[in-house]
Amino acid sequence: MIRALILVILLGSLGWWLDREHQAGRFQRVDEVFLDFLVANTRDRFSMAKPQALAAAPVVLVKMRTSDKAEYAGWPPRPLDWQMILKALQPYEPAVVVIPETLFWGRPAPEFVTEAAQALLPVPSTVLGVEAELAASRNTPAFFGGLENSLPVFQKVQGSIASVPSLGALIAAPDELMRQQAELGIAITRRQKDSFLLPYAVQEGGRLHATVLAQALARFTQTPYATHRLALETGSGAYLSGGVFVNLTRDCEWVCMNQPVPEVDALNLMTAELAEALSAQDKQHLSGGKLIVIGTDDPQTGGLARLHAVALAEILSMPRLRLLPDWAQWIIWGVAGLAGVWLALFVPRSKALQRGALCIFAALVICFLAFQSSLIWCPPTIPAALIAASAVFARIAGRRKN
């Protein structure tokens, strides 16, 4: 009984200290490595979105069709067109508006640029694309045109960035008035055989800059760049708030599949005040705090807007990683403590370390199987430390062999 009492006090004190250290982030890297291992063995679950899940994703494409270009004030659409579309979206309260195409109409700026910029004010978050091109050589410095401080940079990058595409130059940026109401992201795409690739990040000078794809996801999931983690070690991937995981290629790119997403014709939005142009289905698509992607669209070749809408819908329709709630983790710590008491009271000293290692291994296997089946995981640091401490205690002061 004395041994059990001493062990309980020891484990209670150790658990309290470990919990404080864990909350302070001392063991964060250990937990991240463990999560990366779990995800690396289930990556196929994040590679192809199911059609029904894709249709339910909170992403809508508002398309301006090239076949309707005569209906607009100009082509590409002019600031007046954008003002009308953005104003028509306001009653639906979108969470994020993404415009991958560069909204620049030359100098001097045409009319209604100010009005188009003001139409963005009610939107909680807007991401505008900056047209860019990749570098032919990694040794060539990128040209930013004075925008290097306006583009977000990833702060948590683990692994080598050697395979990440290099930024060559920014070609065109949105009109300065539009920029004041939005955040900027690099809009770029690559074609590989029959697939389109959207870089999640591009490198320059040892830093990784976020693209429109990464920026839109960061805003929609409300993930600060201090916690937006890029893991480039065991196959690339990005971890965001809410358990969102982005399964990237080793070049840190998303492979965009040619799948349908909910669409709304921009002309119907522009004429909604004059006539009941929007159907009930269109209104349902736009409502509910959605991520709305707007841009020109060609049925034959598609466009930046469609590619980003499909990619965002695919990513947000993937299953989510689920961290066990605090109360469930406490139960696991309790079970680890009971395993420690068993080691100290019933296992001979000579076998304590061996049995303790087996307990830790069994716990990791159970966690692995739970993640495989339901994508549920628990940080292993504290329960493993409790069992390890119990095994050492049992080896020193445990039951003598009969």
Side-chain angles (χ1 to χ4, degrees), residues 211-260:
T211 61
V212 169
L213 179 62
Q215 183 78 329
L217 287 169
R219 292 302 141 214
F220 188 75
T221 61
Q222 299 182 358
T223 306
Y225 276 93
T227 59
H228 193 152
R229 182 167 70 96
L230 267 181
L232 307 177
E233 293 160 339
T234 55
S236 297
Y239 295 88
L240 297 97
S241 300
V244 174
F245 175 73
V246 188
N247 184 17
L248 303 169
T249 68
R250 292 195 175 273
D251 295 333
C252 201
E253 297 173 313
W254 176 264
V255 181
C256 190
M257 305 297 179
N258 186 20
Q259 300 194 70

Side-chain angles (χ1 to χ4, degrees), residues 149-160:
N149 295 325
S150 301
L151 299 171
V153 176
F154 286 100
Q155 299 178 30
K156 293 193 66 175
V157 180
Q158 294 155 356
S160 172

Side-chain angles (χ1 to χ4, degrees), residues 9-304:
I9 294 174
L10 173 66
L11 293 181
S13 302
L14 179 62
W16 174 80
W17 178 80
L18 288 173
D19 185 42
R20 286 188 58 189
E21 293 296 298
H22 191 272
Q23 291 180 10
R26 301 288 192 275
F27 308 122
Q28 185 176 20
R29 185 62 190 130
V30 176
D31 296 339
E32 289 173 351
V33 169
F34 182 63
L35 179 58
D36 290 345
F37 167 76
L38 295 175
V39 170
N41 288 275
T42 55
R43 292 185 74 90
D44 57 321
R45 302 198 38 190
F46 304 96
S47 58
M48 178 64 75
K50 297 180 180 179
Q52 59 269 30
L54 194 67
V59 179
V60 181
L61 171 64
V62 174
K63 58 182 182 180
M64 296 178 275
R65 299 184 300 179
T66 55
S67 57
D68 296 329
K69 60 184 178 181
E71 304 294 330
Y72 293 87
W75 196 263
R78 309 298 286 170
L80 176 60
D81 300 316
W82 284 100
Q83 178 203 6
M84 295 176 65
I85 293 170
L86 293 170
K87 283 190 66 175
L89 283 175
Q90 291 175 5
Y92 299 98
E93 299 180 347
V96 180
V97 167
V98 180
I99 305 174
E101 299 166 27
T102 304
L103 298 184
F104 182 71
W105 300 277
R107 291 283 182 264
E111 294 181 311
F112 299 105
V113 175
T114 301
E115 290 78 2
Q118 290 175 346
L120 288 173
L121 286 174
V123 180
S125 186
T126 304
V127 180
L128 300 182
V130 179
E131 185 181 355
E133 65 180 9
L134 297 176
S137 170
R138 297 188 186 277
N139 299 322
T140 305
F143 174 74
F144 283 95
L147 290 178
E148 52 267 38
N149 295 325
S150 301
L151 299 171
V153 176
F154 286 100
Q155 299 178 30
K156 293 193 66 175
V157 180
Q158 294 155 356
S160 172
I161 67 172
S163 61
V164 179
S166 296
L167 179 65
L170 302 184
I171 299 173
D175 190 281
E176 190 173 352
L177 289 172
M178 301 296 292
R179 275 186 251 162
Q180 295 174 3
Q181 316 300 337
E183 302 167 9
L184 302 181
I186 296 171
I188 200 164
T189 182
R190 292 198 310 119
R191 185 158 191 170
Q192 187 179 74
K193 297 182 179 179
D194 296 331
S195 300
F196 283 96
L197 303 175
L198 290 178
Y200 198 81
V202 291
Q203 65 165 302
E204 188 280 328
R207 301 186 302 172
L208 293 186
H209 292 275
T211 61
V212 169
L213 179 62
Q215 183 78 329
L217 287 169
R219 292 302 141 214
F220 188 75
T221 61
Q222 299 182 358
T223 306
Y225 276 93
T227 59
H228 193 152
R229 182 167 70 96
L230 267 181
L232 307 177
E233 293 160 339
T234 55
S236 297
Y239 295 88
L240 297 97
S241 300
V244 174
F245 175 73
V246 188
N247 184 17
L248 303 169
T249 68
R250 292 195 175 273
D251 295 333
C252 201
E253 297 173 313
W254 176 264
V255 181
C256 190
M257 305 297 179
N258 186 20
Q259 300 194 70
V261 294
E263 303 175 3
V264 174
D265 194 323
L267 279 180
N268 293 340
L269 270 171
M270 295 169 66
T271 58
E273 292 185 2
L274 303 177
E276 193 62 29
L278 285 176
S279 65
Q281 186 178 37
D282 286 344
K283 294 177 180 179
Q284 182 180 7
H285 285 331
L286 294 170
S287 301
K290 299 292 180 62
L291 193 161
I292 297 180
V293 185
I294 314 173
T296 58
D297 186 62
D298 189 319
Q300 302 300 323
T301 60
L304 274 177

